[in-house]
Amino acid sequence: MVAMTHLETPPVFITGMSGGGLTSAAKVLEDKGYYVAHNIPPKAIVDLLKLCSLEETKVKKVAAVTDVRSRMFHGSLLETIDEVTQLGMKPTVLFLDARDDVLIRRFDSVRRTHPLQGDETLKAGIQRERQVVAEVRERADIIIDTTNLSIHDLRRAIEAAFGDMSKDTQHVTVESFGFKHGSPRDADLVVDVRFLPNPYWVPELRGYRGTDEPVSDYVLAHPAAENFIEHFLEMFETMLAGYRHEGKNFITVGVGCTGGHHRSVAVSEEIARRLRQREDLDVNTLHRDIARD
């Protein structure tokens, strides 16, 4: 049995729905110094990682992209996850997803057929794929819903998720968003800060964002904001201990307001600032809708 101790970080398995952004995610990790193997059958991933574990191999960080097309080969991704874990390094599974209507639009825009479509409709192929990948999605460490994300937004989301990849660190992404654009489907926990006064209705603050000091000061100066943040962090402390016990090391907290410009951004930044005081956490912020109208 080969122990994969030569790698600096756990191997990353990139998977998810066809059209969900797997190729874009791979490019981000390549830019972060990962050796990325594309469209590799699950069984071949084990051989790749064994090669990477050799002292003479200079690869320090490795990721493998595998999608539903790998069904043509023997073995499953779930089996590979278990096998790699037994070899001494639990992989980080990144799952990319999106709403069906968005996936359909993406396939139509490039005039591609879905790999499971056959003689049926594109929608039928997507629904069939959802059934095939359901168990993998359940086992995923990180789920990113790319429905409302641009290429640049996706890059920021992945960079936030893969901050400090230390094995003993829990990774927390605090993501602001606007409810009018829909809640993030990949969040583990969603809180609503629309109870706070809205800077949008203050003319001199409307053009600023929650990352700007005038808006941040306005939002956080309200007594209800401080009361909420203190109680939230107290609750989240208990949740973090539970998540760690359950082996969940990637947590996304969604903080929502109306448009995702002011209140949610300011509160997200303050929550992240306080969480960063803990040495056992890698904390990043992501402001999904800060630039949207």
Side-chain angles (χ1 to χ4, degrees):
M1 185 174 294
V2 180
M4 298 177 192
T5 56
H6 185 59
L7 296 175
E8 292 180 350
T9 63
V12 178
F13 295 171
I14 305 172
T15 189
M17 294 294 294
S18 301
L22 279 66
T23 300
S24 297
K27 290 179 180 177
V28 175
L29 290 187
E30 285 178 340
D31 290 343
K32 290 177 68 66
Y34 281 77
Y35 172 81
V36 181
H38 294 263
N39 299 328
I40 184 171
K43 278 291 185 180
I45 294 176
V46 178
D47 293 331
L48 169 66
L49 294 179
K50 287 179 178 179
L51 284 174
C52 292
S53 71
L54 300 177
E55 287 295 332
E56 59 267 29
T57 302
K58 296 182 180 180
V59 173
K60 300 296 184 181
K61 299 189 290 185
V62 62
V65 182
T66 184
D67 58 27
V68 72
R69 290 172 292 179
S70 66
R71 74 195 187 285
M72 296 181 290
F73 297 90
H74 175 70
S76 70
L77 183 58
L78 291 175
E79 292 171 345
T80 300
I81 293 170
D82 292 336
E83 186 173 352
V84 172
T85 301
Q86 291 171 7
L87 288 173
M89 187 168 284
K90 182 183 182 300
T92 300
V93 181
L94 169 62
F95 191 99
L96 284 300
D97 202 351
R99 287 200 320 262
D100 286 4
D101 62 301
V102 174
L103 294 175
I104 290 172
R105 188 165 65 247
R106 290 174 183 173
F107 272 97
D108 284 341
S109 68
V110 294
R111 300 187 178 183
R112 288 173 51 205
T113 58
H114 189 278
L116 297 185
Q117 183 174 341
D119 296 328
E120 299 183 70
T121 65
L122 180 55
K123 185 175 181 62
I126 292 172
Q127 292 174 339
R128 188 174 293 117
E129 184 179 19
R130 287 211 180 276
Q131 296 175 350
V132 172
V133 302
E135 289 187 73
V136 174
R137 194 182 194 280
E138 285 294 317
R139 291 278 296 273
D141 298 288
I142 307 168
I143 299 174
I144 297 180
D145 181 1
T146 66
T147 297
N148 295 311
L149 301 184
S150 68
I151 293 295
H152 304 295
D153 293 332
L154 176 58
R155 172 175 289 275
R156 284 190 285 268
I158 294 173
E159 288 176 343
F162 289 86
D164 175 8
M165 288 300 291
S166 169
K167 290 182 288 185
D168 299 322
T169 300
Q170 283 182 294
H171 310 272
V172 180
T173 299
V174 187
E175 178 181 0
S176 69
F177 69 94
F179 277 101
K180 76 175 186 178
H181 302 298
S183 301
R185 299 192 304 162
D186 48 7
D188 299 290
L189 173 67
V190 172
V191 295
D192 183 352
V193 295
R194 288 177 292 184
F195 64 89
L196 296 173
N198 191 350
Y200 180 84
W201 301 114
V202 180
E204 59 268 29
L205 296 179
R206 183 175 298 178
Y208 289 102
R209 294 294 183 259
T211 50
D212 297 318
E213 189 173 333
V215 170
S216 179
D217 289 347
Y218 177 86
V219 172
L220 298 178
H222 196 280
E226 177 62 26
N227 192 37
F228 166 77
I229 292 171
E230 286 185 358
H231 282 83
F232 171 78
L233 291 174
E234 182 179 349
M235 176 192 72
F236 194 53
E237 180 85 19
T238 302
M239 297 179 70
L240 282 171
Y243 282 140
R244 184 180 292 277
H245 182 266
E246 294 299 318
K248 182 175 177 60
N249 290 324
F250 295 85
I251 304 102
T252 299
V253 178
V255 181
C257 63
T258 303
H261 295 162
H262 302 108
R263 293 167 291 180
S264 62
V265 175
V267 172
S268 293
E269 288 288 337
E270 180 61 17
I271 288 175
R273 185 188 70 80
R274 298 191 191 189
L275 287 175
R276 288 192 184 102
Q277 296 173 7
R278 293 181 46 151
E279 295 183 354
D280 60 337
L281 296 181
D282 169 46
V283 183
N284 293 280
T285 56
L286 175 66
H287 303 304
R288 192 190 74 180
D289 300 324
I290 194 170
R292 297 182 69 171
D293 294 332

